PDB file of all heavy atoms in Angstrom:
ATOM      1  N   VAL A 139     -11.695  19.216  25.574  1.00 98.00           N
ATOM      2  CA  VAL A 139     -12.086  20.238  24.599  1.00 98.00           C
ATOM      3  C   VAL A 139     -12.375  19.671  23.211  1.00 98.00           C
ATOM      4  O   VAL A 139     -13.324  20.106  22.555  1.00 98.00           O
ATOM      5  CB  VAL A 139     -11.004  21.335  24.514  1.00 98.00           C
ATOM      6  CG1 VAL A 139     -11.377  22.372  23.445  1.00 98.00           C
ATOM      7  CG2 VAL A 139     -10.828  22.023  25.864  1.00 98.00           C
ATOM      8  N   ALA A 142     -15.930  18.202  22.664  1.00 98.00           N
ATOM      9  CA  ALA A 142     -16.896  19.302  22.791  1.00 98.00           C
ATOM     10  C   ALA A 142     -16.815  20.229  21.589  1.00 98.00           C
ATOM     11  O   ALA A 142     -17.843  20.697  21.074  1.00 98.00           O
ATOM     12  CB  ALA A 142     -16.622  20.080  24.083  1.00 98.00           C
ATOM     13  N   ASN A 143     -15.611  20.499  21.121  1.00 96.00           N
ATOM     14  CA  ASN A 143     -15.400  21.345  19.950  1.00 96.00           C
ATOM     15  C   ASN A 143     -16.067  20.724  18.720  1.00 96.00           C
ATOM     16  O   ASN A 143     -16.772  21.406  17.960  1.00 96.00           O
ATOM     17  CB  ASN A 143     -13.885  21.496  19.713  1.00 96.00           C
ATOM     18  CG  ASN A 143     -13.543  22.629  18.767  1.00 96.00           C
ATOM     19  OD1 ASN A 143     -14.389  23.166  18.074  1.00 96.00           O
ATOM     20  ND2 ASN A 143     -12.265  22.976  18.723  1.00 96.00           N
ATOM     21  N   VAL A 146     -19.990  21.003  19.046  1.00 97.00           N
ATOM     22  CA  VAL A 146     -20.547  22.342  18.848  1.00 97.00           C
ATOM     23  C   VAL A 146     -20.363  22.811  17.406  1.00 97.00           C
ATOM     24  O   VAL A 146     -21.241  23.476  16.845  1.00 97.00           O
ATOM     25  CB  VAL A 146     -19.892  23.336  19.832  1.00 97.00           C
ATOM     26  CG1 VAL A 146     -20.265  24.774  19.481  1.00 97.00           C
ATOM     27  CG2 VAL A 146     -20.313  23.008  21.258  1.00 97.00           C
ATOM     28  N   ARG A 147     -19.260  22.440  16.791  1.00 96.00           N
ATOM     29  CA  ARG A 147     -18.955  22.940  15.443  1.00 96.00           C
ATOM     30  C   ARG A 147     -19.177  21.878  14.372  1.00 96.00           C
ATOM     31  O   ARG A 147     -18.578  21.922  13.293  1.00 96.00           O
ATOM     32  CB  ARG A 147     -17.514  23.448  15.424  1.00 96.00           C
ATOM     33  CG  ARG A 147     -17.293  24.569  16.452  1.00 96.00           C
ATOM     34  CD  ARG A 147     -15.848  24.953  16.550  1.00 96.00           C
ATOM     35  NE  ARG A 147     -15.364  25.561  15.318  1.00 96.00           N
ATOM     36  CZ  ARG A 147     -14.099  25.488  14.909  1.00 96.00           C
ATOM     37  NH1 ARG A 147     -13.214  24.826  15.636  1.00 96.00           N
ATOM     38  NH2 ARG A 147     -13.742  26.073  13.787  1.00 96.00           N
ATOM     39  N   LEU A 225     -14.201  31.620  15.128  1.00 83.00           N
ATOM     40  CA  LEU A 225     -14.534  31.018  16.417  1.00 83.00           C
ATOM     41  C   LEU A 225     -14.570  32.114  17.475  1.00 83.00           C
ATOM     42  O   LEU A 225     -13.553  32.474  18.067  1.00 83.00           O
ATOM     43  CB  LEU A 225     -13.499  29.949  16.769  1.00 83.00           C
ATOM     44  CG  LEU A 225     -13.818  29.016  17.945  1.00 83.00           C
ATOM     45  CD1 LEU A 225     -15.181  28.402  17.803  1.00 83.00           C
ATOM     46  CD2 LEU A 225     -12.757  27.939  18.045  1.00 83.00           C
ATOM     47  N   ILE A 229     -18.998  31.256  20.833  1.00 93.00           N
ATOM     48  CA  ILE A 229     -18.902  29.849  20.427  1.00 93.00           C
ATOM     49  C   ILE A 229     -17.979  29.089  21.366  1.00 93.00           C
ATOM     50  O   ILE A 229     -18.258  27.952  21.753  1.00 93.00           O
ATOM     51  CB  ILE A 229     -18.405  29.741  18.975  1.00 93.00           C
ATOM     52  CG1 ILE A 229     -19.422  30.365  18.014  1.00 93.00           C
ATOM     53  CG2 ILE A 229     -18.168  28.277  18.602  1.00 93.00           C
ATOM     54  CD1 ILE A 229     -18.950  30.452  16.573  1.00 93.00           C
ATOM     55  N   ARG A 230     -16.903  29.723  21.772  1.00 91.00           N
ATOM     56  CA  ARG A 230     -15.986  29.054  22.687  1.00 91.00           C
ATOM     57  C   ARG A 230     -16.634  28.819  24.051  1.00 91.00           C
ATOM     58  O   ARG A 230     -16.352  27.834  24.726  1.00 91.00           O
ATOM     59  CB  ARG A 230     -14.694  29.859  22.811  1.00 91.00           C
ATOM     60  CG  ARG A 230     -13.945  29.910  21.485  1.00 91.00           C
ATOM     61  CD  ARG A 230     -12.683  30.697  21.570  1.00 91.00           C
ATOM     62  NE  ARG A 230     -11.631  29.925  22.216  1.00 91.00           N
ATOM     63  CZ  ARG A 230     -10.458  30.431  22.566  1.00 91.00           C
ATOM     64  NH1 ARG A 230     -10.195  31.700  22.356  1.00 91.00           N
ATOM     65  NH2 ARG A 230      -9.539  29.667  23.120  1.00 91.00           N
ATOM     66  N   ARG A 231     -17.519  29.711  24.453  1.00 94.00           N
ATOM     67  CA  ARG A 231     -18.283  29.486  25.669  1.00 94.00           C
ATOM     68  C   ARG A 231     -19.158  28.232  25.517  1.00 94.00           C
ATOM     69  O   ARG A 231     -19.232  27.393  26.428  1.00 94.00           O
ATOM     70  CB  ARG A 231     -19.152  30.702  26.000  1.00 94.00           C
ATOM     71  CG  ARG A 231     -20.011  30.515  27.242  1.00 94.00           C
ATOM     72  CD  ARG A 231     -20.903  31.718  27.475  1.00 94.00           C
ATOM     73  NE  ARG A 231     -20.133  32.889  27.870  1.00 94.00           N
ATOM     74  CZ  ARG A 231     -19.740  33.137  29.111  1.00 94.00           C
ATOM     75  NH1 ARG A 231     -20.044  32.292  30.102  1.00 94.00           N
ATOM     76  NH2 ARG A 231     -19.058  34.230  29.384  1.00 94.00           N
ATOM     77  N   ARG A 232     -19.789  28.090  24.366  1.00 95.00           N
ATOM     78  CA  ARG A 232     -20.634  26.922  24.116  1.00 95.00           C
ATOM     79  C   ARG A 232     -19.803  25.640  24.146  1.00 95.00           C
ATOM     80  O   ARG A 232     -20.264  24.592  24.635  1.00 95.00           O
ATOM     81  CB  ARG A 232     -21.341  27.054  22.773  1.00 95.00           C
ATOM     82  CG  ARG A 232     -22.475  28.082  22.746  1.00 95.00           C
ATOM     83  CD  ARG A 232     -23.006  28.264  21.333  1.00 95.00           C
ATOM     84  NE  ARG A 232     -23.383  26.997  20.725  1.00 95.00           N
ATOM     85  CZ  ARG A 232     -23.413  26.769  19.415  1.00 95.00           C
ATOM     86  NH1 ARG A 232     -23.065  27.746  18.576  1.00 95.00           N
ATOM     87  NH2 ARG A 232     -23.772  25.598  18.937  1.00 95.00           N
ATOM     88  N   ILE A 233     -18.576  25.705  23.632  1.00 96.00           N
ATOM     89  CA  ILE A 233     -17.708  24.543  23.643  1.00 96.00           C
ATOM     90  C   ILE A 233     -17.375  24.132  25.084  1.00 96.00           C
ATOM     91  O   ILE A 233     -17.436  22.962  25.447  1.00 96.00           O
ATOM     92  CB  ILE A 233     -16.424  24.810  22.840  1.00 96.00           C
ATOM     93  CG1 ILE A 233     -16.772  24.910  21.343  1.00 96.00           C
ATOM     94  CG2 ILE A 233     -15.384  23.730  23.082  1.00 96.00           C
ATOM     95  CD1 ILE A 233     -15.643  25.429  20.481  1.00 96.00           C
ATOM     96  N   LEU A 234     -17.048  25.109  25.890  1.00 96.00           N
ATOM     97  CA  LEU A 234     -16.757  24.810  27.304  1.00 96.00           C
ATOM     98  C   LEU A 234     -17.985  24.257  28.004  1.00 96.00           C
ATOM     99  O   LEU A 234     -17.887  23.313  28.814  1.00 96.00           O
ATOM    100  CB  LEU A 234     -16.271  26.078  28.019  1.00 96.00           C
ATOM    101  CG  LEU A 234     -14.871  26.559  27.606  1.00 96.00           C
ATOM    102  CD1 LEU A 234     -14.615  27.956  28.165  1.00 96.00           C
ATOM    103  CD2 LEU A 234     -13.797  25.582  28.097  1.00 96.00           C
ATOM    104  N   GLU A 235     -19.152  24.816  27.712  1.00 97.00           N
ATOM    105  CA  GLU A 235     -20.384  24.321  28.332  1.00 97.00           C
ATOM    106  C   GLU A 235     -20.693  22.898  27.877  1.00 97.00           C
ATOM    107  O   GLU A 235     -21.262  22.101  28.636  1.00 97.00           O
ATOM    108  CB  GLU A 235     -21.542  25.264  28.001  1.00 97.00           C
ATOM    109  CG  GLU A 235     -21.431  26.602  28.721  1.00 97.00           C
ATOM    110  CD  GLU A 235     -22.466  27.621  28.292  1.00 97.00           C
ATOM    111  OE1 GLU A 235     -23.101  27.419  27.233  1.00 97.00           O
ATOM    112  OE2 GLU A 235     -22.646  28.605  29.026  1.00 97.00           O
ATOM    113  N   ALA A 236     -20.286  22.554  26.647  1.00 96.00           N
ATOM    114  CA  ALA A 236     -20.479  21.187  26.162  1.00 96.00           C
ATOM    115  C   ALA A 236     -19.568  20.208  26.882  1.00 96.00           C
ATOM    116  O   ALA A 236     -19.780  18.984  26.816  1.00 96.00           O
ATOM    117  CB  ALA A 236     -20.228  21.116  24.655  1.00 96.00           C
ATOM    118  N   GLY A 237     -18.569  20.737  27.579  1.00 96.00           N
ATOM    119  CA  GLY A 237     -17.675  19.877  28.351  1.00 96.00           C
ATOM    120  C   GLY A 237     -18.118  19.663  29.785  1.00 96.00           C
ATOM    121  O   GLY A 237     -17.411  19.011  30.565  1.00 96.00           O
TER     122      GLY A 237
END
Side-chain angles (χ1 to χ4, degrees):
V139 177
N143 195 346
V146 170
R147 301 173 66 209
L225 192 51
I229 296 173
R230 295 180 78 188
R231 178 183 291 277
R232 287 173 53 205
I233 291 169
L234 290 169
E235 289 173 345

